[in-house]
């Protein structure tokens, strides 16, 4: 069916703006009237339920929030029955007038009544907070700079650290932009300055009668589909897309007409009008929303091999907006990087691609150079280690997926399992699918072109047999090219399917149609479950959280439907009714923790915009409400059950803050840690969960599209291994702050603040599924990360966040001899916070090789280490820690001995390794000394388990820094080799190896451990440095605890700070800085990261090499 | 020709063995459905769990009966499986047999293939023992 033009979108918007169907607040919307009734009941204690009701009254801390006793005299009454029977059963204590003296609440509340703007169906403008998120601070600068790039000479752009530009080098030469009715591309960055603002061309294309791109079908159909599919309990949207040929014929007619009619108008204008002005606001706002989120991620790895041309790429652009020069050329630029895609689509691209594969010309690639590790003193290069580039021809290489999103441990896939076994290297993928991207082509199209048999999305590595057919690169089935796909919206030409953006980019995002929905896209729903026991009040996290929430309330990702709720718990569970129209939040206490129920059917999860004032009042009041509590118990399990009940109709995100062992109700835990065993070298017990309660709960949550994020702020053992299950299987994330205290431990508090800021404002995707497909012959073996595996290749992710990484182990089931390329495709289907269903597709292409040497040459040591770490975590939980450690050592021994056998002619006395694997032993040693796997050093069980959780869920970049920190000497920073970022000079001090021998007393060193920075100051450190950078006259006067560098107006200070800022900007969580003096007790923290040194319980690097060598020769 | 207790045991075992064969087939189908992505592991594992305990108890019942009937050879043939069942039952994640087939790990390629192999082996064992019981029953009836 033909999607309606213009107005359809409007409808769509309204649809989403107004909470529909299952999300409506329900019939029993308690208005002021209901509240009044409730208030009336308070005066007289009710005979039946009041016994419980008293519990609420007796608590001293009612404060400004009305206490609301347990209304539930008869547990038989189902909570659903409430709307009708609410008033007689309630025994509420609504004390609107009981505000504490001096509290400003009353006046604030009065203002709240005017809060009605967001009720209109027009969606709110994108929350202003996006632009202020820490990620986007640099955006304008960078964009400007990059805009300047192309217009100036190509070489004028200095080396910049944007690895992304390497990934999309071809974009610059993309064909000229044309308007398209069937496809639209959203610029995730700011619009090009050349492109006229959207508003200036209102609805121009509509007047032309062009059907708008990618309209979701009308409301009716969408919901019909939803209803039809609701029978099956779990969503399987990926397999439900249906092609409709007739539809495409109609679409094609529209295409032709538009391309002829609008040819007279200047191309960029009409495109822009179509993209921006032609849409109702709802779309343009949501479509451009990724911009701030995708704000720059300056990869710390400077893109060294970038050619000048690549550097000049305007990376704020999507491809449609190009330099004017291109727009005037009628023909697609045949020169440049896209030459490999022949003008005549009849040419088989695969064969052309294969032509470049035979890169055997060089006798021996650098990555194969044998290195004698025992002789090589400095294995660690001075610059950060890059991902190896697959040995593909140049054209495919340019199209390939960025290694930041998608990496394989072997960039050359062995042909057979036998060959893989011979190489003794792990084969697997490391994924960072939802990474913040600076540039992402977004495609709106009526039909998303996919293979008919394996459902692979069309990608740059398919081959076009002729103009009408393409051959799937995963299952080799020949498919028809749909009529719609024949038209290329960028060149506005017909019959060039290989020029479509889907075929030109290995990372694309599709706006999915209703075929990909089982229900209407859910709104963003956030629930906070907070521990308010005595212990929690002691730690004082609540004030930090409430403050952070207040600051970021507007920046929470979402649209006008966003809902939010709060629950607190100690030995009872407290709900907060924030229904709009109440003058103040109402507290409802449920003390029946054995049979948890929701005290009211609605009002607990409220619209963020409608109840904003109430929420603010609550957040201001919360930190002080429980200050005098004496309740030490924690009923976490029942609180989670209640949270699940609350969330299950919609799904969303539950953030749990816990400060101690759960001690009441379901899911209670006992302390299992024996402190005497902390430094045991033999057995580490209790790495697995003590109970299945949290696991089952996570499964239930996952089924209802709810993710549970755990913030554990605990000073004692809290059995993280059990608690972590609730996040692990519901695709949540875990944060752990050992010995958190708001005053005694300021660095932890700072870390919490920073983490919360990122956590609350980062992008989020709901009700997501991720499917990983690979070329026939390969199969997925094991998955690592936080998710629930729904099928052999399908991961169910209730939420997806940009900081989540995944790993997959692969095995080769059938020989790959008849193919020279293998491809992997990850498709992540999710609901954006704006209520759009989107599919993000990454495709990676790798060559197949037949010789062991080539396999070794293509090994990616960092990816291999991360995969090994994941496997070792699994092993230590299922078997034992010592098994896992042995397996890690064996991984080195086996792979190096396998290499040694191939170069037997070079047999030296030393330990030989190919250059590609020269860091392998070092990284494995680092892993063995990591908190997760170390033995012999005192390690708290929770710390160990948390390190394991991080290994499982962190993306590769972060994990590598955690395993092997970067050490730089910073007391003598020079501008030599410095790079320029945003007009700032960032010095690039060389990497030092992690050994105390590099730490001279005269120096100052920065260690970058990913989530924490240490600056170590030597005893005889140059006093100029101490004075210029730290702002103290001499070494003795530096305080023991210092977490910030002062802003001094000296060159050294500027350089140091610019380097630090540059490092910090490259990661989502801004790390906490510790200045460590040589004498301070905190230096142990620093020294434990020096992995090349010997400790009482572990080898030094050289000893480890000897050990490996011994094992090999055995 | 006498209707001994042993003969009765074998008759009962014959009937119950047929049930076990059905269980095994059911398991095979269930895991195959998982592998081919027809079903959600949570939906699939719950009914599988429901069958685990009956299967184990039926098999233990055999063993007890054969012990009483002093059919040592038959008992000897069944004891390995009995021990395996005990091991499987008590060697489960935290909360016991309920999660013998844990939906969280069952999709792991290793676990899935292990479960499938287990089901096939059991099917073979039950089929063989079915005919063995048939033979033993007849011989017990005829012998005396």
């Amino acid at each position: 069916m033909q999607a309606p033009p213009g107005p359809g979108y409007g409808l769509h918007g309204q649809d989403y703006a107004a909470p529909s169907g299952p999300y409506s607040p329900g019939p029993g919307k308690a208005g002021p009237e209901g509240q009044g009734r409730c208030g009336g009941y308070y005066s007289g204690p009710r005979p039946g339920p009041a016994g419980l009701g008293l519990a609420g009254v007796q608590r001293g801390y009612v404060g400004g929030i009305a206490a609301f006793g347990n209304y539930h005299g008869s547990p038989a009454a189902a909570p659903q029955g409430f709307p009708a029977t609410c008033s007689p059963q309630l025994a509420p204590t609504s004390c609107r007038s009981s505000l504490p003296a001096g509290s400003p609440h009353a006046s604030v509340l009065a203002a709240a009544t005017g809060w009605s703007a967001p009720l209109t169906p027009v969606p709110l403008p994108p929350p202003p907070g996006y632009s202020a998120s820490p990620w986007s601070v640099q955006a304008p600068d960078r964009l400007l700079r990059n805009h300047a790039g192309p217009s100036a000479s190509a070489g004028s752009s200095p080396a910049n650290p944007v690895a992304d530009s390497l990934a999309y080098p071809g974009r610059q030469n993309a064909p000229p932009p044309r308007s398209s009715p069937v496809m639209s591309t959203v610029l995730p960055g700011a619009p090009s300055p050349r492109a006229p603002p959207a508003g200036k061309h209102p609805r121009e294309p509509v007047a032309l009668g062009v059907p708008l791109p990618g309209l979701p079908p009308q409301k009716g159909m969408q919901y019909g589909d939803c209803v039809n599919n609701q029978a099956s309990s779990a969503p399987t949207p990926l397999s439900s897309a249906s092609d409709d040929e007739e539809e495409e014929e109609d679409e094609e007619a529209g295409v032709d007409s538009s391309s002829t009619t609008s040819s007279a108008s200047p191309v960029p204008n009409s495109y822009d009008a179509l993209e921006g002005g032609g849409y109702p606001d709802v779309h343009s706002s949501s479509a451009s929303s990724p911009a701030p989120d995708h704000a720059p991620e300056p990869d710390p790895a400077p893109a060294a091999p970038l050619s000048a041309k690549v550097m000049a790429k305007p990376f704020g652009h999507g491809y449609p907006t190009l330099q004017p020069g291109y727009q005037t050329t009628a023909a697609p630029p045949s020169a440049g990087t896209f030459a490999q895609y022949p003008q005549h689509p009849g040419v088989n691209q695969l064969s052309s691609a294969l032509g470049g594969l035979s890169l055997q010309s060089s006798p021996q690639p650098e990555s194969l150079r044998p290195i004698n590790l025992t002789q090589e003193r400095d294995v660690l290069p001075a610059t950060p280690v890059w991902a190896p580039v697959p040995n593909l021809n140049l054209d495919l290489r340019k199209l390939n997926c960025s290694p930041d999103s998608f990496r394989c441990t072997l960039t050359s896939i062995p042909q057979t399992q036998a060959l893989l076994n011979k190489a003794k290297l792990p084969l697997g993928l490391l994924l960072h699918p939802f990474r913040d991207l600076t540039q992402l082509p977004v495609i709106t199209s009526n039909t998303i072109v996919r293979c008919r048999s394996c459902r692979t999305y069309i990608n740059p590595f398919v081959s076009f047999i002729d103009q009408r057919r393409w051959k799937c690169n995963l299952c080799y089935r020949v498919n028809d090219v749909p009529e719609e796909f024949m038209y290329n919206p960028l060149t506005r030409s017909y019959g060039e399917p290989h020029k479509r953006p889907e075929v030109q980019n290995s990372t694309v995002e599709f706006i999915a149609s209703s075929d990909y929905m089982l229900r209407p896209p859910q709104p963003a729903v956030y629930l906070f479950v907070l521990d308010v026991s005595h212990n929690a009040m002691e730690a004082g996290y609540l004030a930090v959280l409430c403050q952070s929430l207040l600051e970021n309330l507007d920046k929470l990702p979402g649209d006008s439907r966003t809902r939010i709720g709060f629950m607190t718990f100690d030995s009872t569970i407290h709900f907060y009714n924030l229904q709009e129209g109440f003058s103040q939040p109402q507290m409802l206490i449920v003390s029946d923790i054995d049979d948890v129920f929701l005290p009211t059917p609605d009002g607990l999860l409220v619209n963020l915009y409608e109840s904003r004032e109430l929420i603010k009042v609550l957040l201001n009041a919360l930190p002080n409400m429980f200050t005098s509590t004496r309740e030490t118990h924690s009923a976490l399990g029942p609180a989670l059950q209640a949270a699940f009940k609350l969330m299950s109709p919609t799904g969303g995100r539950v953030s749990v803050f816990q400060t101690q062992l759960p001690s009441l109700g379901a899911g209670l835990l006992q302390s299992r840690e024996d402190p005497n065993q902390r430094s045991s070298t033999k057995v580490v017990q209790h790495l697995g969960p003590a109970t299945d309660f949290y696991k089952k709960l996570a499964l239930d949550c996952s089924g209802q599209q709810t993710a549970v994020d755990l913030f554990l702020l605990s000073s004692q053992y809290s059995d993280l291994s059990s608690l972590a299950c609730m996040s692990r299987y519901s695709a949540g994330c875990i944060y752990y702050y050992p010995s958190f205290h708001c005053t005694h431990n300021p660095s932890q508090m700072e870390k919490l603040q920073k983490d919360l800021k990122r956590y609350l404002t980062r992008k989020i995707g709901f009700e997501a599924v991720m499917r990983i497909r690979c070329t026939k012959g390969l199969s997925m073996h094991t998955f690592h990360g936080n998710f629930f595996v729904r099928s052999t290749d399908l991961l169910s992710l209730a939420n997806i966040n940009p900081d989540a990484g995944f790993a997959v182990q692969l095995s080769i089931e059938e020989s790959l001899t008849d193919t020279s390329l293998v491809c992997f495709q990850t498709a992540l289907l999710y609901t954006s916070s704006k209520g759009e269903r989107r599919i993000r597709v990454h495709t990676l292409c790798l060559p197949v090789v037949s010789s062991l040497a080539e396999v070794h040459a293509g090994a990616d040591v960092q990816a291999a280490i991360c995969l090994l770490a994941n496997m070792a975590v699994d092993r230590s939980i299922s078997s034992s820690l010592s098994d896992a450690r042995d397996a890690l050592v064996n991984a080195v021994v086996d792979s190096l001995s396998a290499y040694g056998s191939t170069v037997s002619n070079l047999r030296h006395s030393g330990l030989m390794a190919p250059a590609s694997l020269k860091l392998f032993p070092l990284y494995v040693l680092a892993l063995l000394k990591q908190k997760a796997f170390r033995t012999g050093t005192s390690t708290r069980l929770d710390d160990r388990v948390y390190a394991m959780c991080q290994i499982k869920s962190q993306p590769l970049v972060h994990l590598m820094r955690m395993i092997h920190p970067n050490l730089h000497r910073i007391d003598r920073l020079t501008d030599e080799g410095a790079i320029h970022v945003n007009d700032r000079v960032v010095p690039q001090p060389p990497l030092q190896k992690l050994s105390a021998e590099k730490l001279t007393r005269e120096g100052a060193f920065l260690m970058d451990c990913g989530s924490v920075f240490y600056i170590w100051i030597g005893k005889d450190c140059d006093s100029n440095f101490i004075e210029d950078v730290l702002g103290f006259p001499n070494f003795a006067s530096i305080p023991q605890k210092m977490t910030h560098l002062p802003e001094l107006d000296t060159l050294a200070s500027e350089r140091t700070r610019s380097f630090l800022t540059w490092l910090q900007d490259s990661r989502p969580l801004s790390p906490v800085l510790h200045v460590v003096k040589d004498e301070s007790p905190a230096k142990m923290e620093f020294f434990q990261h020096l992995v090349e040194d010997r400790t009482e319980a572990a080898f030094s690097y050289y000893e480890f090499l000897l050990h490996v060598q011994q094992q090999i020769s055995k | 020709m006498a209707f001994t207790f042993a003969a009765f045991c074998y008759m009962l075992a014959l009937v119950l063995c047929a049930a076990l064969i059905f269980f095994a087939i059911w398991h095979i189908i269930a895991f195959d459905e998982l592998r081919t992505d027809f079903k959600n592991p949570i939906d699939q594992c719950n009914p599988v769990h429901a069958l685990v305990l009956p299967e184990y108890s039926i098999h233990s019942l055999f063993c007890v009966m054969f012990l009483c009937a002093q059919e040592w050879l038959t008992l000897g043939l069944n004891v390995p499986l009995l021990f395996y069942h005990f091991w499987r039952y008590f060697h489960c994640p935290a909360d016991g047999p309920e999660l013998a087939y844990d939906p969280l790990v069952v999709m792991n390629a290793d676990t899935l293939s292990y479960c499938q192999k287990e089901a096939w082996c059991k099917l073979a064992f039950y089929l063989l023992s079915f005919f063995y019981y048939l033979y033993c029953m007849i011989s017990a009836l005829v012998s005396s």
Side-chain angles (χ1 to χ4, degrees), chain A residues 111-443:
Chain A
T113 50
W115 187 264
S116 61
L119 282 173
T120 55
V122 180
L124 286 180
Y130 272 121
S131 57
S133 80
W135 272 103
S136 56
V137 172
Q138 284 196 343
D141 286 357
R142 299 175 69 96
L143 290 174
L144 281 177
R145 184 171 54 84
N146 280 285
H147 281 308
S151 46
S153 77
S156 70
S157 173
N160 76 38
V162 186
D164 280 343
S165 49
L166 183 60
Y168 307 107
R171 189 88 19 84
Q172 173 195 7
N173 287 338
R178 303 292 163 98
S179 68
S180 153
V182 291
M183 197 234 74
S184 77
T185 311
V186 174
L187 306 183
S192 156
R194 289 180 205 96
K200 289 183 186 163
H201 303 271
R203 303 191 172 267
E204 189 174 325
V206 178
L208 291 172
V210 178
L212 276 169
L215 286 183
Q218 293 142 325
K219 174 187 174 190
M221 177 187 159
Q222 194 177 321
Y223 283 76
D225 181 64
C226 153
V227 170
N228 290 342
N229 285 335
Q230 263 167 357
S232 72
S233 65
T236 51
L238 277 176
S239 53
S240 64
S242 65
D243 299 350
D244 200 340
E245 308 293 338
E246 293 82 31
E247 181 181 331
E248 288 152 17
E249 295 295 335
D250 290 349
E251 193 58 46
E252 186 52 44
V255 167
D256 281 340
S257 72
S258 85
S259 57
T260 48
T261 43
S262 61
S263 58
S265 69
V267 172
N269 283 2
S270 72
Y271 177 80
D272 194 78
L274 190 77
E275 178 58 36
Y279 286 24
D281 288 345
V282 56
H283 186 67
S284 58
S285 73
S286 62
S288 60
S289 68
D293 275 359
H294 294 301
E297 177 176 274
D299 194 289
L306 292 188
S307 67
K309 197 181 233 170
V310 173
M311 312 288 308
K313 183 185 65 65
F315 89 86
H317 292 230
Y319 38 74
T321 44
L322 292 166
Q323 299 93 317
Y326 277 123
Q327 288 160 0
T328 52
T329 56
S334 54
T337 52
F338 280 63
Q340 87 278 3
Y341 279 100
Q343 300 283 316
H344 317 291
V347 179
N348 186 335
Q349 295 189 11
L350 190 62
S351 64
S352 78
L354 300 188
L357 264 179
S358 51
L359 246 170
Q360 302 296 332
S361 52
S362 59
Q364 195 178 36
E366 159 62 22
S367 53
L368 260 186
R369 183 171 58 88
I371 291 175
N372 188 345
L373 290 175
T374 43
Q375 312 258 303
E376 182 104 355
R377 244 188 111 58
D378 292 312
V379 266
L380 198 68
T383 52
V385 184
W386 321 117
V389 183
N391 190 5
L392 294 164
N393 72 10
L394 203 60
D395 306 326
L396 286 178
R397 213 180 268 184
K398 278 175 182 159
L399 287 172
N400 223 345
C401 193
S402 155
D404 295 333
S405 309
F406 211 150
R407 247 165 117 163
C408 184
T409 55
L410 299 176
T411 54
S412 306
I413 303 289
Q415 222 166 36
T416 57
Q417 181 73 34
L419 185 59
L420 176 64
N421 292 344
K422 227 188 267 176
K424 302 272 187 197
L425 286 166
L427 176 60
L429 301 172
L430 283 122
L431 305 170
H432 192 180
F434 204 55
R435 196 165 69 92
D436 290 317
L437 290 166
T438 47
Q439 183 176 25
L440 175 69
V442 179
I443 294 164

Side-chain angles (χ1 to χ4, degrees), chain B:
Chain B
M1 178 114 179
F3 190 76
T4 57
F5 179 64
F8 169 75
C9 282
Y10 281 118
M11 283 169 94
L12 195 63
L14 206 59
V15 178
L16 291 176
C17 199
L20 287 183
I21 289 170
F22 277 113
F23 283 6
I25 292 174
W26 204 90
H27 269 101
I28 290 171
I29 295 173
F31 290 120
D32 199 60
E33 277 181 334
L34 274 184
R35 185 171 284 252
T36 49
D37 197 9
F38 278 127
K39 280 223 174 144
N40 184 328
I42 304 179
D43 301 340
Q44 192 65 286
C45 283
N46 288 337
V48 173
H49 289 153
L51 287 188
V52 167
L53 213 55
E55 185 195 333
Y56 290 5
S57 42
I58 287 176
H59 188 258
S60 320
L61 180 69
F62 282 6
C63 297
V64 173
M65 284 194 315
F66 292 132
L67 185 72
C68 299
Q70 299 183 333
E71 292 289 327
W72 303 120
L73 177 65
T74 318
L75 185 63
L77 290 175
N78 274 298
V79 159
L81 186 62
L82 183 71
F83 279 120
Y84 174 74
H85 280 166
F86 271 111
W87 173 80
R88 192 97 166 102
Y89 188 89
F90 291 108
H91 201 79
C92 287
D95 277 1
E98 200 176 335
L99 288 179
Y101 297 101
D102 187 348
L104 295 170
V105 294
V106 81
M107 288 316 301
N108 181 310
D110 283 339
T111 319
L112 196 57
S113 61
Y114 175 81
C115 289
Q116 270 187 319
K117 270 183 210 151
E118 184 195 32
W120 278 108
C121 290
K122 276 190 183 171
L123 178 65
F125 180 82
Y126 291 142
L127 268 178
L128 287 177
S129 46
F130 180 82
F131 291 110
Y132 173 77
Y133 297 152
L134 189 65
Y135 166 80
C136 287
M137 181 188 78
I138 293 170
S139 68
L141 285 174
V142 170
S143 62
S144 47

Side-chain angles (χ1 to χ4, degrees), chain A residues 21-30 83 602:
Chain A
Y23 308 124
S24 68
K29 185 167 181 168
D602 51 30

Side-chain angles (χ1 to χ4, degrees), chain A residues 766-787:
Chain A
F766 296 98
E767 42 185 4
V769 284
M770 181 162 80
R771 196 182 284 273
I772 303 162
R773 297 182 173 87
C774 48
T775 300
K776 209 168 72 181
L778 293 168
S779 71
M780 311 286 149
H781 194 265
T782 308
F783 297 91
H784 302 277
N786 289 353
F787 48 69

